[in-house]
Amino acid sequence: MAEPSKVVLVAGHVGVGHVYSHSGFFQDDSLGFASAVSLLRKFFDFDTTVRRITVDSLEKVCVETGDGGSGCASPRRGLTVFEAEMLRRLEGADASLPHLETLRIFGRMYGNGCLEVPVAVEYALSVAVLDTLVRRVRGFILRREEALGDAVGGVRVDVEGGALAVAITVNGSGYGIGPNENLEGNVPLGIKGEVMKELDSLAKPTVVLEGKAFIPGLSERVRQTSLLLRYNRDYDNVAVAEVVRSVLEERKLEYVEVDTAFPRFAGSMEKTKRALTESLKEELLKFERSPGAREKVAAAASLAKIVCEDIGGVTFMDEDLCELVGACGIAPGTGAVVSMVVGSDYIRLNGIPYATRDDAELLADIALESARRLLANYDRVMEVLRDRYRAPTFVGGSRRSDS
């Protein structure tokens, strides 16, 4: 029987609709979700194939999986008969790759209320997977926050030397306007905190599985696709990062390491929001001052780009929370992030990053081996964690951190 106190957490999420950000960053933010599901396939048998798609009165779309899991969403502005017809092509798809399968139907996706139907479909697919897991996986816990649309599930598995806890989060909105990613990573708040507590994974060493992204600052270091290990050497758990690095190197996998990621207490999100607000004001003034159709259309197009793309980099998380946990939601001292990064050649060939089954299985393998090694080096990892850990908490509707 696993020793209860020795627990390693692997956390993956899907930021439903979070594709674009400022500074030329764009991504498939479902790889962490798909990888965590792939990790559970190593221990459990379940079917996430889409068995049926139904559209009700052009207002609601529902997904049913082969094992009876169900997920529904109601796009804010409804659906059209043509979209309902397109959605039939989802039958037979793999709901555990929600972003990829949505792209296969619609070609692209924008959040922030710009393209609501694709975002709603991705949400329905993702929730259907969690519903499948709670039906088929013994001990799987599922909590939902209906107002925000968040859904968080997880299970513990006994492994050699301790226990592996896997937490899977859907951050999004059933109306197709998401996401709100306050509960990404291992942020122990709300329903995520409830699930983590039941899994005995609060303040435990964590491997956070993240998306597949084009990051301009790293694009020249990558030709096609590379693994990406990120953490902040001053705030995150360097011992977790060392273990993940050992796995990557032993397997001779191509990877990029960034130890200055996720700066804390720098006001970066607030500063970016101010800059974007100024850009919006400038374009609105251009629109107001333009009597000609050509000028008005140009100003409107610039506004649309800011709202549909750039602003995604500041809408996904509360600013005070981001100050503490960083953009991938790591409670200080607990872990490191493993994801994928693509280069300019990849984008020229594909136009947009997308996660595949092979990508998900690779990250799942890395996470499992990392978890085993973390359990074998638990005392060293926990020493770093105890020294650096700060937990975000709710206080009177606002957040602060407990030192």
Side-chain angles (χ1 to χ4, degrees):
M1 185 72 179
E3 183 182 341
S5 61
K6 270 193 166 185
V7 180
V8 170
L9 173 65
V10 173
H13 91 295
V14 51
V16 180
H18 190 197
V19 181
Y20 292 93
S21 182
H22 57 85
S23 306
F25 174 101
F26 53 109
Q27 65 177 340
D28 174 342
D29 201 18
S30 73
L31 177 56
F33 172 91
S35 302
V37 175
S38 185
L39 177 55
L40 290 186
R41 290 187 197 278
K42 298 178 183 298
F43 301 95
F44 306 100
D45 181 36
F46 50 87
D47 184 2
T48 56
T49 304
V50 177
R51 178 167 63 188
R52 181 165 55 191
I53 292 285
T54 57
V55 175
D56 183 9
S57 303
L58 297 182
E59 293 178 353
K60 181 168 73 172
V61 56
C62 290
V63 174
E64 183 181 335
T65 70
D67 272 334
S70 176
C72 297
S74 301
R76 183 179 56 163
R77 291 175 286 185
L79 298 99
T80 70
V81 64
F82 306 106
E83 288 166 330
E85 185 177 339
M86 291 164 67
L87 287 174
R88 293 177 193 157
R89 291 167 48 200
L90 273 174
E91 293 181 354
D94 183 359
S96 73
L97 296 165
H99 195 78
L100 174 61
E101 301 296 6
T102 303
L103 290 180
R104 291 189 193 279
I105 304 300
F106 295 101
R108 64 178 64 210
M109 184 187 303
Y110 292 97
N112 302 321
C114 294
L115 273 180
E116 294 161 10
V117 174
V119 175
V121 169
E122 183 177 31
Y123 178 82
L125 288 166
S126 303
V127 172
V129 171
L130 290 189
D131 195 47
T132 299
L133 293 173
V134 80
R135 292 168 184 268
R136 291 286 296 161
V137 173
R138 181 185 293 273
F140 192 86
I141 304 160
L142 179 60
R143 299 286 182 271
R144 300 189 63 169
E145 211 295 321
E146 299 297 340
L148 293 176
D150 287 331
V152 183
V155 67
R156 265 181 57 160
V157 181
D158 290 345
V159 294
E160 184 178 353
L164 168 66
V166 181
I168 308 175
T169 303
V170 177
N171 288 142
S173 161
Y175 299 106
I177 61 172
N180 173 341
E181 296 182 75
N182 283 336
L183 300 187
E184 69 174 325
N186 67 348
V187 175
L189 297 175
I191 58 172
K192 180 91 164 231
E194 294 174 12
V195 171
M196 289 173 64
K197 184 176 181 180
E198 290 195 53
L199 298 177
D200 190 25
S201 61
L202 293 168
K204 301 291 185 179
T206 305
V207 178
V208 175
L209 303 177
E210 258 288 348
K212 186 174 184 178
F214 176 78
I215 304 173
L218 299 177
S219 61
E220 298 310 313
R221 298 170 64 180
V222 181
R223 295 195 63 182
Q224 281 286 333
T225 304
S226 176
L227 292 157
L228 177 60
L229 171 61
R230 285 177 293 169
Y231 58 99
N232 188 288
R233 59 176 177 257
D234 296 322
Y235 293 100
D236 296 317
N237 197 309
V238 292
V240 172
E242 288 167 4
V243 165
V244 174
R245 185 193 308 119
S246 73
V247 175
L248 299 176
E249 292 185 345
E250 184 175 293
R251 299 190 177 199
K252 296 181 170 54
L253 296 167
E254 180 183 345
Y255 73 96
V256 175
E257 181 172 351
V258 180
D259 64 3
T260 56
F262 321 123
R264 308 307 208 277
F265 312 108
S268 54
M269 182 178 284
E270 183 183 4
K271 292 172 187 174
T272 302
K273 187 180 76 170
R274 284 202 303 266
L276 290 171
T277 300
E278 290 304 313
S279 297
L280 286 167
K281 288 178 181 177
E282 289 175 14
E283 295 303 328
L284 281 169
L285 285 172
K286 287 181 187 178
F287 183 82
E288 181 184 41
R289 295 166 182 167
S290 299
R294 182 176 179 180
E295 292 80 7
K296 286 186 288 186
V297 168
S302 295
L303 283 167
K305 184 180 185 304
I306 295 170
V307 171
C308 296
E309 296 185 10
D310 300 350
I311 210 167
V314 298
T315 55
F316 72 96
M317 185 181 285
D318 291 3
E319 290 162 32
D320 56 350
L321 181 60
C322 191
E323 288 287 277
L324 178 66
V325 301
C328 283
I330 317 174
T334 57
V337 176
V338 188
S339 62
M340 286 187 166
V341 60
V342 302
S344 299
D345 288 348
Y346 177 102
I347 296 301
R348 278 191 288 269
L349 184 64
N350 299 288
I352 192 169
Y354 58 88
T356 67
R357 172 63 73 89
D358 287 345
D359 294 335
E361 290 177 351
L362 177 58
L363 254 64
D365 287 342
I366 293 167
L368 181 56
E369 181 58 27
S370 297
R372 287 173 171 151
R373 295 187 187 191
L374 288 168
L375 288 168
N377 294 276
Y378 206 74
D379 290 343
R380 157 69 176 146
V381 176
M382 286 301 297
E383 181 182 354
V384 177
L385 191 151
R386 294 188 188 99
D387 182 57
R388 295 185 169 190
Y389 184 67
R390 296 179 68 180
T393 58
F394 284 110
V395 179
S398 61
R399 291 185 183 84
R400 65 171 172 83
S401 66
D402 281 349
S403 299

